[in-house]
Amino acid sequence: MKDKIQLYGFNNLTKTLSFNIYDICYAKTDREKKDYIAYIDEQYNSERLTNILCGVTNIIGACVLNISKQDYDPEGASVTILVSEETVPPEQIDASCNQGIGFLPDKETVAAHLDKSHVTVHTYPEFHPNNEISSFRVDIDVSTCGRITPLTALDYLIGSFDSDVISMDYRIRGFTRDMDGKKYYKDHEINSIQNFIDPKTLKKYDAIDVNVYQSNIFHTKMMLKEIRLADYLFNVDPRELPPEERLDIREQINKEMLEIYYGMNVY
């Protein structure tokens, strides 16, 4: 569909991107585990996550209607943003919506919420007393209706986190019609999520696709190729460790990443 199609009414297609990243860390002692979780909880608190999601809405060309955010005890955070493709007169805004006031800089425009248009993020710090590997998972869902698509924000999302393993799902649902009543089940070309990621970024990862083309369902998993030990040790200089211990730590990190990547306990 290279030429623009004139649609009858609103574009009813819903495009949803589920973006999940995993950050891995070697934390041997209880003190290191607690310090890592505290660091992650502070680094990715609800305020920082709100700024990241607002960046997503800006990239995909959406407008913010309402922001809700929450930090949890003992750790974790969530943010939800309702977005719209179009702006509307102020008198049509629901009085219960904050329109990003107090979260965003002063804006010249306001927007109304369109059903199923939203951006959400949830964080999941994780460790176990019997394991020396801790992890941190971020789940981001971007669901849009109309002409905008969340795929344009992929490079921004990957760069916003320490992404060791990435799992992404993209699905187009519903249909829309042209002026003659013909149905269209997607409004842009896609055969892989990887097409929307910078080639320089892709070179850093091993990536595989699992797609169901006839259902407009696309799935991509990515795992970082190079393990730089200094990036995975918390408050420890790898040069201070003996070679045997460095090798053992590297094997533990690689094992954790492989199991997350393939979604099974392979060892």
Side-chain angles (χ1 to χ4, degrees):
M1 289 176 280
K2 296 181 180 180
D3 298 327
K4 290 185 177 180
I5 299 169
Q6 187 174 1
L7 300 180
Y8 178 79
F10 182 71
N11 186 335
N12 291 307
L13 291 172
T14 299
K15 302 160 215 170
T16 301
L17 172 69
S18 294
F19 176 89
N20 307 294
I21 74 102
Y22 296 84
D23 173 62
I24 309 300
C25 176
Y26 178 81
K28 186 174 182 178
T29 67
D30 288 342
R31 178 74 265 172
E32 289 173 348
K33 290 181 173 68
K34 292 178 181 177
D35 287 347
Y36 170 70
I37 296 299
Y39 164 78
I40 286 294
D41 206 41
E42 176 61 29
Q43 182 73 7
Y44 297 108
N45 57 34
S46 63
E47 182 177 355
R48 167 92 190 281
L49 294 172
T50 298
N51 291 333
I52 292 174
L53 292 197
C54 287
V56 171
T57 62
N58 182 59
I59 290 171
I60 67 177
C63 301
V64 172
L65 168 66
N66 194 79
I67 298 177
S68 299
K69 67 183 183 73
Q70 179 64 50
D71 291 297
Y72 298 113
D73 186 15
E75 66 265 334
S78 296
V79 180
T80 299
I81 301 180
L82 303 182
V83 298
S84 170
E85 182 183 30
E86 304 289 344
T87 58
V88 296
E91 61 270 13
Q92 295 184 19
I93 299 295
D94 191 310
S96 65
C97 294
N98 61 44
Q99 301 171 46
I101 297 173
F103 301 89
L104 299 171
D106 292 339
K107 309 188 307 307
E108 296 179 355
T109 60
V110 292
H113 170 55
L114 300 177
D115 188 32
K116 297 190 175 84
S117 291
H118 61 267
V119 188
T120 65
V121 59
H122 304 283
T123 65
Y124 303 89
E126 184 271 340
F127 72 96
H128 191 276
N130 296 337
N131 296 333
E132 296 177 349
I133 300 294
S134 298
S135 65
F136 169 65
R137 186 176 103 239
V138 178
D139 290 354
I140 295 179
D141 289 297
V142 185
S143 186
T144 66
C145 54
R147 294 167 295 176
I148 57 179
T149 173
L151 290 172
T152 53
L154 273 179
D155 284 321
Y156 171 78
L157 285 171
I158 294 172
S160 296
F161 300 95
D162 296 323
S163 307
D164 294 319
V165 181
I166 305 172
S167 177
M168 295 168 286
D169 298 288
Y170 180 66
R171 182 177 182 183
I172 306 172
R173 293 174 292 169
F175 62 85
T176 194
R177 295 181 184 271
D178 64 15
M179 298 300 293
D180 296 325
K182 180 182 178 180
K183 293 191 289 291
Y184 289 87
Y185 295 91
K186 62 180 181 179
D187 61 356
H188 65 89
E189 295 298 329
I190 177 174
N191 55 39
S192 171
I193 294 175
Q194 296 185 50
N195 296 342
F196 296 83
I197 301 174
D198 190 315
K200 293 180 181 179
T201 301
L202 283 175
K203 286 182 179 179
K204 300 177 183 179
Y205 291 85
D206 288 316
I208 57 176
D209 285 347
V210 182
N211 300 324
V212 185
Y213 296 105
Q214 64 271 28
S215 297
N216 286 327
I217 298 175
F218 305 88
H219 176 69
T220 297
K221 291 191 289 189
M222 300 165 56
M223 183 176 70
L224 201 62
K225 292 179 180 178
E226 181 182 357
I227 296 178
R228 295 180 65 255
L229 206 55
D231 295 337
Y232 296 88
L233 299 180
F234 197 73
N235 293 331
V236 176
D237 188 338
R239 294 172 297 183
E240 300 175 354
L241 303 176
E244 297 82 3
E245 186 172 357
R246 292 200 298 267
L247 179 61
D248 177 65
I249 294 172
R250 186 179 296 273
E251 290 178 347
Q252 289 188 57
I253 294 170
N254 187 61
K255 169 182 178 291
E256 186 77 2
M257 289 173 59
L258 281 171
E259 292 186 340
I260 294 173
Y261 184 62
Y262 288 109
M264 64 178 69
N265 296 324
V266 297
Y267 284 76

